[in-house]
Amino acid sequence: MTRRILCPASEASATARQVPRKPGFTSISRASYSSSSSSSSSISDEEVVDIPEVFNSRETLEFCGLNSEVSALIFDSWERLQQTPGELGYGNDIITEAKHFVRAMGEREDAWLPEHDWRRALVGMGATQRLCDAILDSAFAHLRKTQSASYWVLDTIDISWEFLEGLDKRIRKKRDETRDLVTPSPSIQPGLLGTYRGPSVLRTATIDAVPSSVEGRTMLFKGGAMAGLVSVFNDDGSLNLARLWSRNPTDFHRCKDVLLYFTKHVDVAEIYADYTMRRVSPEEGVVLHFAVPSELLEDHREIFDPEWQQLVFWSRGPASFDRLSVPPHLTQFTDAPLLIGCIYGMPNKAVARLDRSSDLTGQYMKTRNGGNATQYVFQTEAIQIQLQNQCRGWVWYQSMRYARDFAMRFLPPDEA
């Protein structure tokens, strides 16, 4: 069950020199895995990140935002489970035990309304003071209130674990790119959309800025953690949009977990990316920019009140046997290839305590200018396949940590 975070080669190239190690941790250079280009001055080898040496350890739980006492408690419980083959939990990674602990403590006391004691609930789940401060950062208050305290702790654990799982690959990829990078001549001018018509060895194009508009295409966005979002790119530059499916329940479906949610507001995607980075400081918050063929968006339905209220209430409201199927009058929306509607702005636990759908009036997530945030939901397999195929080479990823005017994209085969 002992798996190291980094292979020896990656650790050798990433380890920060002359930095004292904490027991159970390795100090690595942030530059060793950053998406920032090798020629960028936005990051230096002096920026250091402490990562646990092995996955199933107390140190990993602390990295995920749990305090030392709770981390020791969970580790001891996990270790006991590994002594007995066949025991429930035997063979699981320690993250499973950690999330079980957080859920159990969240059942005792959680927070989801502004008047609740969020800090006390977070502390009860084992969150460190640093994680409490990050979740409760007033700059993200509007986003935080869309979910419960337990959700944000569990989400932080997931992002942290996913970061660790992908770190070795990121270090090797960055090392190979730095070694093999061919810099275009200054005389080579960027072509369409900033794509260099230069050396064919470049599979990833570095772009000064993502275009705000593309003729014949509509820009849609998704923000979050680098490890999760950039995994949408296959090694050959093609897309695997299944990696972006949202877990149920979502705003517009109670059961389906094969739906693709995007927003048309870049500022909404950016705040999701920034909040990820605020809670998991070693990770990069990223925004994916999709230039979607506008004709692909023509076959859509828009949903407004009162149907919007009824669909959200069915999707996120109280559980019961008579709520397993979509209400017949709402299937026109759930069967649509593309559904467009406002983003709901309150957590599931709040909806579950409402008596009727009309109580949802006005509970929308807002953009920075105070308008209602809108989401585009690709619901059918056919339109998702079209989106996946027609957006190849038309998706940028932009790191929020280093420079909002720096972006990269994978080139389609005819440009690589």
Side-chain angles (χ1 to χ4, degrees), residues 5 78 92 127 155 159 210 221 234 236 239 241 249 264 269-270 272 281 284 303 309 352 355 373-374 376 401:
I5 304 294
W78 172 84
N92 288 340
D155 186 60
I159 292 170
V210 181
F221 313 95
N234 293 322
D236 63 357
L239 301 174
L241 296 187
K264 73 171 186 178
E270 286 175 351
Y272 274 97
S281 58
E284 294 180 46
I303 187 167
Q309 297 169 318
D355 295 323
T374 303
Y376 284 57
R401 181 177 295 279

Side-chain angles (χ1 to χ4, degrees), residues 318-340:
S320 62
F321 285 112
D322 61 350
R323 297 173 65 84
L324 295 179
S325 300
V326 182
H329 71 288
L330 296 177
T331 56
Q332 59 179 312
F333 301 107
T334 57
D335 290 345
L338 172 62
L339 183 60
I340 301 174

Side-chain angles (χ1 to χ4, degrees), residues 222-292:
K222 195 171 189 71
M226 166 72 83
L229 294 190
V230 178
S231 67
V232 71
F233 297 103
N234 293 322
D235 290 340
D236 63 357
S238 62
L239 301 174
N240 181 2
L241 296 187
R243 297 183 182 276
L244 301 183
W245 283 339
S246 294
R247 289 174 293 185
N248 64 61
T250 55
D251 278 2
F252 296 151
H253 212 286
R254 188 176 194 86
C255 310
K256 279 189 179 179
D257 55 5
V258 293
L259 301 179
L260 290 171
Y261 281 78
F262 298 90
T263 179
K264 73 171 186 178
H265 311 283
V266 67
D267 61 298
V268 172
E270 286 175 351
I271 197 169
Y272 274 97
D274 287 338
Y275 198 34
T276 290
M277 206 159 48
R278 178 68 176 91
R279 291 176 289 127
V280 185
S281 58
E283 182 58 292
E284 294 180 46
V286 164
V287 172
L288 294 181
H289 300 244
F290 279 72
V292 181

Side-chain angles (χ1 to χ4, degrees), residues 81-95:
L81 292 174
Q82 308 317 306
Q83 306 305 313
T84 310
E87 181 77 17
L88 183 63
Y90 176 81
N92 288 340
D93 282 318
I94 198 169
I95 186 177

